[in-house]
Amino acid sequence: MNVPVTLFDHARDQLRNLCQVAGFADEDEAPATVLRELLGAAGRRPLTAPPVWLSDVADDATPVEFSLAFDASGERAVRILGETIPENPGPAANIEAAKRFLTHMAQRYAVNLDRFRAVEDLFLTERPQGKFALWFSLILRPGRVPALKVYFNPLVRGDQAARGLVAEALRRLGLRDAYDTVERYALCRGAADKFSFFALDLDDGPLSRVKLYVSHDSGDSSTVERAATAVDGVDPLALREFLTLAGGGTGPFAGRPLVSSYSFVEADSGRPGNYSLYLPVRDYVPDDEVARAQALAHLERAGVPAAELDRAIGAMTSRPLSEGVGLVAHLSLRLGRFGSGTTVYLSSEAYGVTPSRARAAAAL
Ligand code: TRP
């Protein structure tokens, strides 16, 4: 009898390929080990079985998404965004499973839970609302131990509570002034601008960050150019060029929203050190062939060879790019003194491929 391919098997092969592209040693077992833990019970299910939980990590409910960060310094990092799904999922059970994963990671790696503990009661409620309660990202670099980041959901107590929740969390983390900065630069368009993630680096270093994400419904280049001026030394024109090349224009982006994020470290007294812009490119292209072309237009300007993007895409899939849309899910541009660069987010497509616009139209 054949042993069925599991979700973990599928994702592990993609991760292994991607790590190879990023220059990891073949014998480095850490990526596969942490992926297995992150996926939890969902990872052990056969790929042919439907997802047990409709994770919002990816469009097809796969609870992981990969990304490859091209740092301006020439370094590469592979990242995994993921949600831990237990055997019998549900809002409360998912939080329990996520905490077990966190405890497990803390036992093995240099994870500092102090800041997590300082705010968890705000975000981890008994009856979480919204699309998730706790997500993780694992940051993998060749020859280094994996680093961990947690994402809380500011909308977990409803949209109305989000701003108060974020303000209180920042206060507890010694970043009281950060809230005003974000409000002034990124929450300028009423209900169209909203907090979407509250993230913490869980390592001990001096650059361990708090990251705040704001989504901009129907935002355009001017929305994010304004948002970026919160960070000293960032040239807003870089964002306009990025959107023009990678997003096909300056907007407005009326599908999935542009997202801004700010990185704060404790010593900063309210001024963020970095700004990042996330472009959900899959909503603004007919298929992945065009998404690739737009990503390349930007990457080549940033000095990244085309072959590297193609190898990363090849690490995920061998399907024709014109058949689907969403393999290249997001592109992001990071600017500031903690380091600049571009990140390409790649879907696992474990459960399904979104047909290209042409295919979807032909099927009508
Ligand atoms: N799938 C969700 C979305 O597209 C969440 C998400 C996954 C996301 N990766 C992301 C959001 C990168 C912003 C940037 O919104």
Side-chain angles (χ1 to χ4, degrees):
M1 216 182 78
N2 286 338
V3 182
V5 174
T6 63
L7 173 63
F8 170 68
D9 295 332
H10 173 86
R12 178 207 49 216
D13 289 351
Q14 292 174 318
L15 179 61
R16 186 185 288 148
N17 296 340
L18 193 58
C19 285
Q20 225 162 37
V21 174
F24 285 65
D26 285 340
E27 60 277 6
D28 189 345
E29 291 296 324
T33 305
V34 293
L35 176 68
R36 184 195 301 274
E37 297 295 336
L38 174 66
L39 281 173
R44 295 188 286 276
R45 288 170 58 84
L47 204 52
T48 49
V52 268
W53 180 259
L54 294 181
S55 175
D56 189 52
V57 165
D59 297 350
D60 67 339
T62 306
V64 283
E65 176 185 74
F66 299 109
S67 59
L68 181 58
F70 299 96
D71 295 352
S73 65
E75 275 194 69
R76 303 291 179 253
V78 169
R79 294 194 305 222
I80 314 170
L81 173 69
E83 178 167 18
T84 305
I85 311 288
E87 210 153 306
N88 297 303
N94 292 5
I95 291 178
E96 285 316 307
K99 284 188 178 172
R100 280 197 300 278
F101 168 71
L102 191 56
T103 307
H104 180 92
M105 289 293 291
Q107 285 162 354
R108 276 163 190 74
Y109 301 102
V111 172
N112 182 338
L113 293 180
D114 291 351
R115 293 186 309 150
F116 176 86
R117 300 259 184 259
V119 299
E120 64 172 323
D121 65 293
L122 296 173
F123 294 106
L124 302 182
T125 77
E126 262 172 41
R127 272 183 251 287
Q129 301 174 40
K131 293 178 173 166
F132 77 102
L134 199 53
W135 282 354
F136 298 101
S137 98
L138 290 157
I139 302 103
L140 309 168
R141 293 180 184 275
R144 295 213 226 149
V145 294
L148 183 67
K149 201 168 135 184
V150 291
Y151 298 81
F152 293 108
N153 185 354
L155 306 175
V156 75
R157 293 177 190 269
D159 296 10
Q160 297 306 317
R163 294 187 181 194
L165 215 52
V166 168
E168 172 60 11
L170 289 170
R171 191 193 61 78
R172 290 190 191 175
L173 296 170
L175 290 168
R176 191 191 293 268
D177 298 334
Y179 184 85
D180 293 339
T181 306
V182 174
E183 186 158 77
R184 174 144 23 102
Y185 291 93
L187 298 175
C188 308
R189 300 178 315 129
D193 294 324
K194 39 183 164 297
F195 286 115
S196 43
F197 301 100
F198 186 98
L200 299 174
D201 284 351
L202 295 185
D203 44 275
D204 251 340
L207 288 186
S208 200
R209 300 161 306 169
V210 174
K211 238 175 134 177
L212 267 181
Y213 296 72
V214 175
S215 67
H216 307 288
D217 286 346
S218 293
D220 64 13
S221 189
S222 69
T223 314
V224 298
E225 286 171 50
R226 177 187 170 107
T229 55
V231 178
D232 293 329
V234 164
D235 177 9
L237 257 188
L239 297 168
R240 182 165 285 259
E241 284 176 9
F242 171 75
L243 288 176
T244 303
L245 293 174
T250 52
F253 293 87
R256 283 188 181 78
L258 297 177
V259 175
S260 290
S261 85
Y262 297 104
S263 294
F264 296 91
V265 297
E266 243 162 89
D268 268 346
S269 72
R271 297 300 285 192
N274 263 56
Y275 173 84
S276 298
L277 170 63
Y278 304 79
L279 164 69
V281 63
R282 66 197 185 286
D283 271 17
Y284 302 99
V285 291
D287 57 47
D288 282 307
E289 200 166 284
V290 178
R292 168 191 172 271
Q294 292 185 186
L296 266 188
H298 165 73
L299 284 170
E300 284 186 326
R301 280 211 56 176
V304 177
E308 261 196 84
L309 176 64
D310 285 331
R311 288 176 64 210
I313 289 174
M316 293 295 124
T317 186
S318 50
R319 75 160 168 81
L321 292 181
S322 61
E323 270 182 11
V325 64
L327 173 66
V328 184
H330 303 262
L331 299 169
S332 79
L333 180 66
R334 187 165 20 101
L335 301 166
R337 61 190 168 81
F338 304 151
S340 298
T342 302
T343 302
V344 179
Y345 294 75
L346 298 166
S347 302
S348 172
E349 298 187 331
Y351 291 124
V353 174
T354 305
S356 66
R357 314 266 176 247
R359 288 200 153 216
L364 287 180

